[in-house]
Amino acid sequence: MKRFLLSCIFASILMLSFAQQGALRGVFTATKGDEKIIWLFVDDYCSQTHYKNNEYLSTWGGPYTINGTKLEVKIEYSDAHPDMVGSSKTSQLTMSAHGFQEQDGIVWKKQAAKKQELDGLWRITGRMQDNKMSSIQRGDRKTIKLLVDGYFQWIAINPANKGFYGTGGGHYTFQDGKYKEHILFFSRDNGRVGAELSFDGSLKEGKWHHSGLSSKGDPIHEIWSRDNEK
């Protein structure tokens, strides 16, 4: 009985927190048969990805709002259903001590919070080309990256024409100037699943400088800005 009451209290606090903050934050996971599903929420943006152990399946996401237990996502990309881009998807959530459940019955478990300095929604704004750092102007096409609680995902999209150009994600750490990734899914090459990548990383005047070798072994040097910055 005591454990039940504590769970109810925790769920109530969780629901109240969501309602007061107007946002979810963190990483939630679920399963559907042999599918694994991961849902990232950070800086008013979310991304849901379906994959198997060695096979990428699909992803969709965009800006979201939450009113009480009603979650609404404005879809900016969906590689499985591009016709949905520009529409909104609404879900009614039932909160629990460990996460939430959607009205379709899927149970989402919240992963442990592992806050790091890079957590947030980022957008690429600079790339080294011909030994010169070139700015990437903001436009319809963009590459964004969500980092939250030890998970990451990058997505290359163009919401204006419902374009989707690739995604990848998994676990990340950022410590002592080193940014490391462990890939769980990669839409362009399932063979990259399980790879460990290490980069140099630093924050300079609020910009994330990212350099090293890409998943293909090509040298890269990029600058990322938080997506709410102009």
Side-chain angles (χ1 to χ4, degrees), residues 5-63:
L5 290 174
L6 288 174
S7 296
C8 291
I9 292 171
F10 184 84
S12 298
I13 292 173
L14 187 65
M15 184 169 65
L16 179 61
S17 175
F18 291 162
Q20 290 175 336
Q21 296 176 11
L24 286 167
R25 186 190 187 282
V27 180
F28 296 80
T29 59
T31 58
K32 189 176 181 180
D34 60 349
E35 288 184 26
K36 299 179 180 180
I37 318 174
I38 183 171
W39 208 347
L40 308 182
F41 293 85
V42 66
D43 290 355
D44 301 323
Y45 203 94
C46 71
S47 183
Q48 183 182 129
T49 302
H50 297 236
Y51 65 101
K52 297 182 181 179
N53 284 336
N54 295 298
E55 180 184 0
Y56 168 82
L57 298 175
S58 64
T59 191
W60 68 274

Side-chain angles (χ1 to χ4, degrees), residues 4-183:
F4 174 76
L5 290 174
L6 288 174
S7 296
C8 291
I9 292 171
F10 184 84
S12 298
I13 292 173
L14 187 65
M15 184 169 65
L16 179 61
S17 175
F18 291 162
Q20 290 175 336
Q21 296 176 11
L24 286 167
R25 186 190 187 282
V27 180
F28 296 80
T29 59
T31 58
K32 189 176 181 180
D34 60 349
E35 288 184 26
K36 299 179 180 180
I37 318 174
I38 183 171
W39 208 347
L40 308 182
F41 293 85
V42 66
D43 290 355
D44 301 323
Y45 203 94
C46 71
S47 183
Q48 183 182 129
T49 302
H50 297 236
Y51 65 101
K52 297 182 181 179
N53 284 336
N54 295 298
E55 180 184 0
Y56 168 82
L57 298 175
S58 64
T59 191
W60 68 274
Y64 73 92
T65 56
I66 185 163
N67 183 6
T69 58
K70 181 181 178 181
L71 172 68
E72 182 175 359
V73 182
K74 181 179 179 182
I75 300 175
E76 280 202 330
Y77 60 89
S78 173
D79 55 347
H81 303 285
D83 56 302
M84 294 180 63
V85 174
S87 66
S88 295
K89 180 177 181 179
T90 301
S91 299
Q92 187 66 40
L93 311 182
T94 301
M95 305 303 174
S96 74
H98 305 290
F100 61 82
Q101 180 174 330
E102 290 186 90
Q103 70 266 23
D104 60 7
I106 296 180
V107 177
W108 294 89
K109 181 180 179 181
K110 190 176 190 311
Q111 301 303 295
K114 297 178 182 179
K115 292 185 179 180
Q116 299 181 69
E117 195 174 10
L118 286 180
D119 280 3
L121 174 64
W122 298 85
R123 179 172 180 156
I124 192 167
T125 54
R127 181 182 286 117
M128 186 71 74
Q129 294 179 325
D130 299 324
N131 295 317
K132 180 182 178 181
M133 182 60 70
S134 299
S135 297
I136 299 174
Q137 299 301 316
R138 287 177 176 261
D140 293 329
R141 179 161 178 164
K142 59 183 178 179
T143 299
I144 57 176
K145 199 164 190 174
L146 290 75
L147 297 103
V148 59
D149 288 343
Y151 285 77
F152 80 95
Q153 183 183 0
W154 63 266
I155 314 108
I157 56 174
N158 185 336
N161 64 11
K162 304 184 180 183
F164 178 86
Y165 311 110
T167 189
H171 299 290
Y172 95 94
T173 59
F174 179 58
Q175 188 174 10
D176 299 328
K178 289 294 181 181
Y179 171 84
K180 297 181 180 180
E181 295 180 345
H182 173 83
I183 298 176

